[in-house]
Amino acid sequence: MSISLRNKLFFLIVLFVIFCNIPKMVQLNFLGSFLAKDLSLYPILIGVVYMGYAFYQERKVPFYKEERVLLGYIVTYVFVLMLSFIHGLSMYPYYDAILAGPPDQIEKLPVVQHFLSTVGIEVDTISLLKLWMFARPIKGFIVETVWYFLVPYLIFTWYKRNASEGFSILTRAIFCATVLVCMYGIVDVFYLSGSTLAEKMLVILNPIIHDIKSNGTWWPPLLWKGQLRSLFAEPSYYGLFAAFAMPFLWYYLGKHLQTKNKILITIVLFIFTSCLFLTKARTANVLFIGEIILLICFTLWQRNRDFMKRTVTIVIISSVAFIVSVFSLNFMPGSPQGSTMGYDDEDSIAISSYLEDNVGSLASSNKRSNGARYSILEADISIGKDYPLLGVGKSLRHAYIPDYLSIEGKSNSEVQYWIKNQEEKGIMKSGFSALGEYSTRFAETGVLGLVIYLLPTVFLAWRLLKRIYLSEDREEREKCIFFFISFSGVMASGLGDNLSITCAYWILMGLGYALIASPSKKEQHESA
């Protein structure tokens, strides 16, 4: 593959991160697994095809130290997950509940049983159901595992010898993606301000950009009243992208750019940050605050004058954006049919109310969507505690959750809707959202599966910190600092959301390992 094509593909992979819930007609569900809803899958597929063709042409697959380590990890990962899954099926207590449920959830099972009977093979229904539940998710598990490792490996192989080039493309692509988010966000601001023209534009554009009312549910709605969401399916997704993108915009702000470019990045950063606060999404606010704190910590450790000036500039831009956004809420009805998005006429009280509603409310188990989120989180953790080593098996937790919900959880209207949906459609066709990557994995794969899953992440974070500490080159150190902040923000989002909502995690894993695998400038100088 030519370097030019490689770089263009990587640029598109990063740029398309913002399109993470594309319309169903262009989703590649048959081979995309968790990437099926991401527009990034298309350039990824092109890259994978080219990589496979290159291996075919050379008649050999590279098998160096990195490939040997990766293969060893993949074997371990698959072994643990399969062990957990088989263990979960062997003790699964809900076979009778499945058979007693709606017949269409297992409509092919009686057909298979009848066919076996006609050829003289008698199998009881429970045994056949166990085999069915084992075979049914295998294809999905294989495809998921392939993409889980193939995407980071693809990016790693592209830039392991020149991570700086990959970092530069990543930064440019994120800037372009942010500009698109800001432009669409401005239209959303006009909609929230009561503009009927903006409403008509969104009615036309939103179904083109992302799926509407997926799988017959209410989510995502055509229009989102009272909160800004820009190009994304919901406001919290804006925060997930911001956690990924914001540190690279901060890095870009400190580069030695021409004055007009400095002004442009400052304006984009201000609009992007203002829109973040207008989402009124707790995910967005908390991740942003966490990344600002990390930036300040690195600034104090660095004690570098230029780095300090950049941090002060970022804090000022963020503070002004916050004040302007909170003040603007009092003048925004939330939609052409709304009344107000604000909190109070007095600015000091409005700021306090905003922080309480969007940050302080996280500590409450019943404010906003916390009731449903915390109920599922508690249920997942309780399941994991009862099955600590291997969990209940991948994709098998859904039937357990109603039995592990607290009384308060069962009284939540959103949770009641999920329970009713499962009762009506059946355990095999309906379940509960994964409202937390780590709690879900703990419930499904136990401590062993969670540790195996987190191992590459922890190793990458440690190596990045080590390179930051040891690097004597300012540019190299700053790249690693802002990369680490972005990586930390994305990983922190896994506490309350699924990491596969966007493919940002896999992009960072691939380029992150390229960064730590590339020789430092000190090592390059010594080997010269």
Side-chain angles (χ1 to χ4, degrees):
M1 180 188 298
S2 70
I3 293 176
S4 175
L5 177 59
R6 178 197 70 186
N7 291 343
K8 287 175 181 176
L9 286 175
F10 185 52
F11 181 90
L12 291 176
I13 290 170
V14 179
L15 178 68
F16 290 165
V17 165
I18 56 179
F19 303 107
C20 55
N21 190 45
I22 56 178
K24 190 171 288 293
M25 64 181 295
V26 290
Q27 292 178 14
L28 300 178
N29 291 304
F30 63 97
L31 55 77
S33 185
F34 61 87
L35 290 174
K37 294 183 177 182
D38 285 85
L39 190 59
S40 295
L41 179 58
Y42 284 90
I44 288 171
L45 275 173
I46 296 171
V48 169
V49 170
Y50 262 90
M51 183 172 68
Y53 179 72
F55 290 164
Y56 173 77
Q57 288 287 91
E58 296 174 5
R59 294 293 192 276
K60 69 173 185 177
V61 177
F63 202 67
Y64 304 112
K65 179 183 177 181
E66 294 92 344
E67 283 76 19
R68 291 196 296 271
V69 172
L70 177 62
L71 181 61
Y73 175 75
I74 292 174
V75 170
T76 305
Y77 177 85
V78 171
F79 174 77
V80 169
L81 260 64
M82 288 304 298
L83 182 64
S84 170
F85 183 58
I86 293 170
H87 170 260
L89 286 175
S90 68
M91 64 175 190
Y92 193 68
Y94 299 100
Y95 292 114
D96 290 334
I98 292 173
L99 294 174
D104 63 336
Q105 65 176 324
I106 49 171
E107 55 188 5
K108 295 179 182 178
L109 189 67
V111 177
V112 174
Q113 191 172 27
H114 176 72
F115 171 76
L116 292 174
S117 178
T118 57
V119 297
I121 302 174
E122 297 295 334
V123 183
D124 66 275
T125 307
I126 292 291
S127 297
L128 188 60
L129 180 60
K130 289 181 180 180
L131 290 172
W132 182 270
M133 289 181 66
F134 174 77
R136 191 174 181 229
I138 289 298
K139 178 254 183 184
F141 175 71
I142 292 172
V143 174
E144 177 184 311
T145 304
V146 167
W147 287 123
Y148 179 78
F149 294 106
L150 193 55
V151 175
Y153 178 71
L154 179 70
I155 297 170
F156 171 77
T157 55
W158 282 350
Y159 296 107
K160 64 180 179 180
R161 290 184 178 85
N162 193 358
S164 293
E165 183 181 26
F167 189 94
S168 176
I169 295 166
L170 174 73
T171 306
R172 293 201 304 271
I174 283 176
F175 178 75
C176 292
T178 303
V179 169
L180 292 176
V181 170
C182 290
M183 290 171 63
Y184 206 87
I186 290 171
V187 178
D188 213 355
V189 167
F190 278 105
Y191 163 71
L192 297 173
S193 300
S195 169
T196 54
L197 176 61
E199 182 180 48
K200 290 176 181 177
M201 291 175 64
L202 292 177
V203 167
I204 296 171
L205 293 174
N206 281 344
I208 298 172
I209 291 167
H210 54 72
D211 197 23
I212 302 296
K213 298 183 178 180
S214 299
N215 301 319
T217 64
W218 66 271
W219 184 95
L222 179 61
L223 298 168
W224 198 291
K225 299 178 181 180
Q227 291 178 271
L228 185 143
R229 65 172 176 175
S230 186
L231 286 164
F232 302 97
E234 67 172 63
S236 66
Y237 286 13
Y238 189 111
L240 300 181
F241 172 71
F244 168 58
M246 194 73 78
F248 295 106
L249 297 177
W250 294 342
Y251 167 81
Y252 203 47
L253 183 67
K255 293 191 71 176
H256 300 291
L257 304 171
Q258 295 178 355
T259 303
K260 62 179 182 180
N261 291 334
K262 279 272 190 183
I263 295 172
L264 176 61
I265 181 64
T266 302
I267 292 172
V268 170
L269 185 58
F270 175 78
I271 296 173
F272 187 54
T273 308
S274 298
C275 288
L276 181 145
F277 293 124
L278 290 176
T279 64
K280 297 173 69 177
R282 292 163 303 166
T283 299
N285 280 273
V286 172
L287 291 176
F288 178 76
I289 292 171
E291 291 189 334
I292 282 282
I293 291 172
L294 263 181
L295 176 64
I296 292 172
C297 290
F298 277 117
T299 303
L300 296 174
W301 172 75
Q302 281 241 96
R303 297 182 182 179
N304 177 276
R305 184 176 179 180
D306 290 337
F307 200 93
M308 177 75 75
K309 286 171 62 177
R310 172 166 34 186
T311 301
V312 170
T313 302
I314 290 167
V315 171
I316 291 172
I317 292 172
S318 302
S319 300
V320 173
F322 174 68
I323 293 170
V324 169
S325 300
V326 174
F327 179 72
S328 300
L329 290 173
N330 291 321
F331 301 96
M332 301 171 71
S335 73
Q337 299 78 34
S339 55
T340 181
M341 290 173 61
Y343 294 95
D344 201 282
D345 290 332
E346 296 183 34
D347 292 347
S348 60
I349 298 177
I351 290 172
S352 176
S353 299
Y354 182 95
L355 291 173
E356 173 58 31
D357 187 36
N358 297 287
V359 180
S361 63
L362 278 175
S364 173
S365 61
N366 55 14
K367 287 187 177 180
R368 294 177 62 171
S369 63
N370 282 3
R373 185 176 296 275
Y374 285 179
S375 296
I376 301 301
L377 181 68
E378 288 174 356
D380 282 335
I381 293 174
S382 297
I383 293 170
K385 285 180 178 178
D386 279 358
Y387 305 92
L389 185 61
L390 293 171
V392 297
K394 190 163 177 59
S395 303
L396 298 178
R397 62 183 259 279
H398 302 292
Y400 287 84
I401 286 180
D403 293 337
Y404 281 85
L405 287 168
S406 63
I407 297 174
E408 293 81 6
K410 289 181 179 179
S411 64
N412 180 273
S413 58
E414 194 170 1
V415 174
Q416 287 176 349
Y417 169 79
W418 291 333
I419 293 174
K420 181 182 177 183
N421 206 36
Q422 188 178 76
E423 290 174 349
E424 291 177 351
K425 295 182 179 179
I427 293 170
M428 300 285 282
K429 276 197 171 183
S430 181
F432 297 82
S433 300
L435 301 177
E437 183 75 40
Y438 312 125
S439 58
T440 301
R441 286 187 177 269
F442 178 51
E444 292 185 341
T445 63
V447 173
L448 188 58
L450 182 60
V451 169
I452 293 295
Y453 171 76
L454 289 175
L455 195 60
T457 303
V458 174
F459 180 76
L460 175 57
W462 174 70
R463 287 294 302 272
L464 284 169
L465 287 173
K466 183 179 178 181
R467 178 156 288 202
I468 291 168
Y469 180 74
L470 296 177
S471 179
E472 296 178 0
D473 181 80
R474 175 188 161 188
E475 178 69 15
E476 180 182 56
R477 185 167 60 248
E478 288 188 2
K479 284 180 179 178
C480 290
I481 285 173
F482 287 102
F483 191 96
F484 179 83
I485 293 174
S486 174
F487 187 63
S488 299
V490 170
M491 292 309 300
S493 70
L495 293 170
D497 287 289
N498 197 321
L499 290 179
S500 61
I501 289 173
T502 74
C503 64
Y505 167 74
W506 287 270
I507 291 170
L508 291 178
M509 285 294 286
L511 189 59
Y513 270 91
L515 273 173
I516 64 174
S518 297
S520 64
K521 290 192 176 181
K522 181 181 178 181
E523 292 170 336
Q524 290 175 352
H525 178 72
E526 289 175 350
S527 62

